[in-house]
Amino acid sequence: MTAISERRRILVGGQWTPPVSSGLLGVVDPATEELLASAPDCGAAVVDAAVAAARAAFDTGVWYDRPVAERLEVLAPLGGAYAAGVDDLSRLVTAEMGSPATFSSLAQAAAPAHMVTTLLELAAQHPWEERRPSATGGTTVVRR
């Protein structure tokens, strides 16, 4: 198997950013010791910037106050896309960590694809908002 990909930049806050150093970290097939992929060796400053950007996106980004129905609509294609890539993902997991192909196929590729679909279905049915009588005689809204 030849190298699958080589990344020279990383995504931080929605922008492709060059790493601080030119070093690369290799992902090696443990069975053949062949290089599968490489990624930038980022260093603590870039990792801290990525974490800060992720935190800001979580707290104030486009998902922050988007209704559940809209979130589910955006995420709905994820289950199908994941399922379509199960065979490739299974082969990649086997190559990356030496997991037996049957285990990679079922437990590390197909099962997560099924979980994505199942969780999206459950989220669509979940009572995200519930009105309950309050102790004072009014109504309390519980939001999850």
Side-chain angles (χ1 to χ4, degrees), residues 86-138:
V86 161
D87 291 339
D88 289 337
L89 183 59
S90 174
R91 283 190 294 276
L92 180 60
V93 167
T94 294
E96 177 194 11
M97 60 184 269
S99 174
T102 52
F103 187 73
S104 295
S105 176
L106 295 174
Q108 295 170 308
H114 178 70
M115 282 188 260
V116 167
T117 302
T118 300
L119 290 172
L120 287 170
E121 290 170 1
L122 288 171
Q125 300 168 13
H126 186 75
W128 294 102
E129 186 172 296
E130 179 182 351
R131 296 189 179 280
R132 296 180 182 174
S134 73
T136 60

Side-chain angles (χ1 to χ4, degrees), residues 42-111:
C42 298
V46 176
V47 172
D48 289 346
V51 170
R55 180 79 250 177
F58 183 79
D59 291 340
T60 61
V62 297
W63 288 105
Y64 179 71
D65 60 357
R66 186 172 283 193
V68 172
E70 285 183 32
R71 293 178 189 205
L72 292 174
E73 186 178 329
V74 170
L75 292 171
L78 180 61
Y82 200 124
V86 161
D87 291 339
D88 289 337
L89 183 59
S90 174
R91 283 190 294 276
L92 180 60
V93 167
T94 294
E96 177 194 11
M97 60 184 269
S99 174
T102 52
F103 187 73
S104 295
S105 176
L106 295 174
Q108 295 170 308

